[in-house]
Amino acid sequence: MSVLDRNNVHLVGNLESEKTLVFAHGFGTDQTAWKDIVPAFSDSYKIVLFDYVGANEATTPYFNPRKYKQLYAYADDILDIFEELHLKDVFFVGHSAGGMSGTLAAIQEPDWFSQLILLNASPCYLDEESYKGGFSHEVLDGLFKQMESNFHAWASGFAPMVMANTDRPQFADAFTKTLTGMRPDVALAIAKLIFHSDHRKDITKLTHKTLLVQATEDYAVPNDVGYYMEKHMPNAVLAFVETEGHLPHISDPDKVIKAIKPFLN
């Protein structure tokens, strides 16, 4: 099995550049989620795009539920890509669970990473007495039951809620399309591993300079999560983007680019 085939890896941008920028998507999307972000960095960086296993039809044949039970498996996949492409000192941009997978990878192989940018990422989605993750056990159980009973109907309701920006329904429509491009049983398995994950102890081990980019209104990741991460990550800075929704790189790419560029420079 080729790692580059498994993760549908593509190299774009300035292939002669000594600086490498890796973009990692989140749940329900694939590498196309970065299409409006990539051009802003194509002149200066060699850019690596990939799909997490299970994200779409191209990668689903490689999905093994025994392997992908935790985000650590996706972190290993990231490191496989780095090793295959001989990547070092990488600038890593990861959205949501893609960002947390990158965090785990950077903790495991710190010398392979230079800086990280985590967009609307979260170490834990469950509410606890002293932690507001955004979801209760009851809400998540209901979400999983909806996915099992009628996946396409669930996606049609979940996408607009998470995307927000109701005045621009084309974004929710696009998100619905990539969500329903996942095989239902695989989507359910990945959703469970993400929403049941707890990496609050892990994030304290990330020593890289890290930018936390957070939308001011996000149904999936409340602002409290951003503050929590900034407090508990040794070298992190939190920056809010005045926008709504869990996928600002799709709904407001210019604002995300504006937040990222000064940090990379």
Side-chain angles (χ1 to χ4, degrees):
M1 176 185 61
S2 164
V3 169
L4 303 185
D5 288 338
R6 181 192 67 192
N7 290 99
N8 195 25
V9 177
H10 291 93
L11 297 176
V12 297
N14 181 357
L15 301 185
E16 303 301 319
S17 176
E18 296 183 356
K19 297 185 294 183
T20 302
L21 185 56
V22 174
F23 286 99
H25 66 84
F27 174 71
T29 62
D30 57 24
Q31 63 188 265
T32 61
W34 302 106
K35 66 180 179 63
D36 293 326
I37 301 289
V38 166
F41 302 94
S42 293
D43 289 342
S44 302
Y45 295 88
K46 175 169 63 179
I47 295 173
V48 179
L49 299 168
F50 71 95
D51 297 326
Y52 284 111
V53 171
N56 49 29
E57 186 177 350
T59 59
T60 293
Y62 303 105
F63 184 83
N64 184 332
R66 291 190 302 277
K67 174 183 177 181
Y68 295 100
K69 287 185 175 181
Q70 295 181 316
L71 285 182
Y72 296 108
Y74 287 105
D76 287 342
D77 284 358
I78 293 171
L79 297 178
D80 286 345
I81 295 170
F82 282 26
E83 189 171 25
E84 183 73 15
L85 297 176
H86 307 290
L87 303 179
K88 300 286 185 180
D89 299 321
V90 166
F91 296 90
F92 183 91
V93 181
H95 170 245
S96 194
M100 198 51 52
S101 298
T103 297
L104 299 175
I107 293 168
Q108 185 173 332
E109 294 290 350
D111 292 342
W112 295 9
F113 291 76
S114 176
Q115 298 178 3
L116 286 83
I117 296 173
L118 308 181
L119 177 62
N120 288 54
S122 173
C124 181
Y125 294 87
L126 276 168
D127 292 334
E128 292 186 358
E129 186 173 339
S130 59
Y131 175 83
K132 183 179 179 183
F135 296 87
S136 65
H137 284 283
E138 292 75 19
V139 168
L140 287 182
D141 287 344
L143 183 150
F144 299 144
K145 287 180 181 178
Q146 291 172 6
M147 294 180 75
E148 287 182 290
S149 62
N150 191 329
F151 179 72
H152 285 77
W154 166 81
S156 296
F158 182 78
M161 178 175 64
V162 173
M163 179 63 75
N165 294 280
T166 55
D167 57 326
R168 297 181 289 170
Q170 68 270 23
F171 296 124
D173 292 343
F175 187 32
T176 301
K177 186 175 180 179
T178 55
L179 267 176
T180 54
M182 302 179 73
R183 203 172 77 191
D185 63 313
V186 173
L188 177 61
I190 295 174
K192 285 183 176 180
L193 83 85
I194 291 171
F195 284 115
H196 286 154
S197 64
D198 186 350
H199 295 288
R200 284 176 290 177
K201 290 184 179 179
D202 290 310
I203 64 172
T204 64
K205 303 171 187 176
L206 183 72
T207 58
H208 299 75
K209 186 178 179 183
T210 302
L211 177 65
L212 308 171
V213 181
Q214 174 76 31
T216 49
E217 296 181 40
D218 181 359
Y219 169 81
V221 180
N223 291 350
D224 284 2
V225 171
Y227 291 123
Y228 179 92
M229 292 176 69
E230 183 182 38
K231 180 179 178 179
H232 291 87
M233 297 174 77
N235 203 9
V237 176
L238 176 62
F240 282 100
V241 176
E242 288 291 334
T243 185
E244 62 177 354
H246 186 57
L247 300 96
H249 54 311
I250 295 177
S251 58
D252 287 288
D254 290 344
K255 293 181 180 180
V256 172
I257 292 167
K258 187 177 180 181
I260 289 176
K261 272 198 169 181
F263 182 78
L264 290 177
N265 293 334

